[in-house]
Amino acid sequence: KIIKIKVKENYSYKRKVIINDLLLSISIGIHDFEKIKKQQVKFNIEIDISPSLMPSESSLKSIVNYEYIVRIITNLTKKKHYNLIESLAEEIFLKLFEDKNIKKIKIKIEKTEIIKNTSSVGIQITKKRI
C-alpha cells in the first residue's frame, strides 16, 4: 500500500524582475514643442512572477527575461508619439500581461527634463492580475 504524505513548505516564494532607471529618448507630451522634439524619459519597473515558474539553466522560457521587457518598452516608444505618460503605461501593461507568468507590475515613468527646478515629474501605477 502506498501512502502519500503531504509536506508543508516552510517558506513562501516571491520573485521579481526589476529594471531601474531605463533612460529612453521618446516623443511624448501634449504641448506642441513636445511633439517636435524627443525628450528623456526614465522607467522603473518591478514585475512579480508566478511562484510556479521555476528557472531552468537550459531554457530562457523558464524565466521572465528583463532583456525582453526592455525591448518591448523600447519598441513601443519608437513606434509613435504618446500625448500622456498614462497612455504609454497602459500600452506597456497590455503588452507585458500577455505573459501569463507575470502576476503584478509596478511601473514608474518620469520625464526628466520638462519642469524646471525638478529632477523629474511623472506617474507610478501598479496593476495586478485578479
Side-chain angles (χ1 to χ4, degrees):
K1 186 175 180 181
I2 298 174
I3 301 172
K4 290 184 180 182
I5 301 173
K6 188 173 181 177
V7 177
K8 185 176 179 181
E9 294 183 10
N10 294 333
Y11 57 90
S12 66
Y13 189 78
K14 184 181 263 191
R15 186 162 18 124
K16 292 184 182 213
V17 171
I18 57 170
I19 298 167
N20 289 320
D21 299 336
L22 170 64
L23 293 171
L24 298 174
S25 181
I26 69 172
S27 181
I28 193 159
I30 58 171
H31 302 291
D32 288 339
F33 69 89
E34 292 178 297
K35 294 175 183 177
I36 296 168
K37 185 180 178 210
K38 291 184 177 186
Q39 57 187 298
Q40 188 176 66
V41 175
K42 180 167 50 172
F43 297 82
N44 284 283
I45 304 159
E46 285 185 18
I47 300 173
D48 289 11
I49 307 305
S50 171
S52 63
L53 184 66
M54 295 307 289
S56 167
E57 292 284 326
S58 61
S59 174
L60 280 180
K61 291 182 180 184
S62 69
I63 63 167
V64 173
N65 187 333
Y66 48 79
E67 288 180 46
Y68 175 70
I69 294 163
V70 169
R71 191 168 46 250
I72 285 173
I73 294 168
T74 302
N75 288 339
L76 282 173
T77 57
K78 279 183 181 178
K79 291 183 180 181
K80 70 177 196 178
H81 174 87
Y82 292 90
N83 284 327
L84 302 172
I85 292 176
E86 292 84 353
S87 300
L88 172 57
E90 291 303 322
E91 284 202 27
I92 293 169
F93 284 129
L94 282 174
K95 188 69 177 161
L96 293 181
F97 274 125
E98 289 176 5
D99 185 335
K100 301 297 181 202
N101 291 306
I102 293 176
K103 299 303 175 194
K104 180 177 160 186
I105 302 168
K106 180 168 91 174
I107 188 165
K108 183 174 169 184
I109 304 174
E110 301 168 273
K111 292 181 175 186
T112 61
E113 305 168 326
I114 198 69
I115 304 289
K116 277 187 174 184
N117 302 321
T118 68
S119 62
S120 68
V121 294
I123 59 152
Q124 181 171 301
I125 303 171
T126 302
K127 277 196 173 186
K128 181 178 180 180
R129 282 190 201 277
I130 297 177

